[in-house]
Amino acid sequence: MSDSASQTTKAVASRGTVLVVDDDPTVAGSLTGFLAEIGYSADAVSSGESALARLADADLPEVQVVLSDMSMPRMDGLELLREINRTHPAVAVIMLT
């Protein structure tokens, strides 16, 4: 999955939108699939920079939760967490290792 592309899985009756951030496309795909099965809309991006761009995009559904990998190239999960807390304080963040 490229940084410029976002993978989206839509649930029939969505409980909310979760943004999955992981540079491993297999992990991102598994998580978005599972989230859709339990009733969430899930978008996946492959970098912290792409996650921040997705959160800032007013044309897409609002994200309630970010589910992020800790270890990623360029911007790691902790740096992403700090930036989300600064720019989008209402968004919950769950970190994965």
Side-chain angles (χ1 to χ4, degrees):
M1 181 179 343
S2 71
D3 282 350
S4 63
S6 171
Q7 176 185 19
T8 304
T9 303
K10 297 293 181 193
V12 175
S14 179
R15 297 172 137 181
T17 300
V18 177
L19 179 61
V20 175
V21 187
D22 200 305
D23 58 327
D24 182 333
T26 302
V27 173
S30 294
L31 289 171
T32 56
F34 172 73
L35 289 164
E37 284 180 24
I38 61 171
Y40 291 90
S41 289
D43 292 345
V45 295
S46 61
S47 71
E49 298 87 354
S50 294
L52 294 174
R54 168 59 181 86
L55 289 169
D57 191 335
D59 292 331
L60 296 173
E62 183 178 3
V63 171
Q64 287 76 37
V65 178
V66 171
L67 187 58
S68 178
D69 186 15
M70 289 282 293
S71 178
M72 296 181 290
R74 294 183 309 277
M75 178 184 285
D76 68 19
L78 289 178
E79 187 178 352
L80 176 60
L81 171 64
R82 285 190 289 274
E83 190 62 21
I84 291 172
N85 284 337
R86 187 180 73 75
T87 59
H88 304 280
V91 175
V93 179
I94 300 169
M95 305 302 293
L96 302 173
T97 59

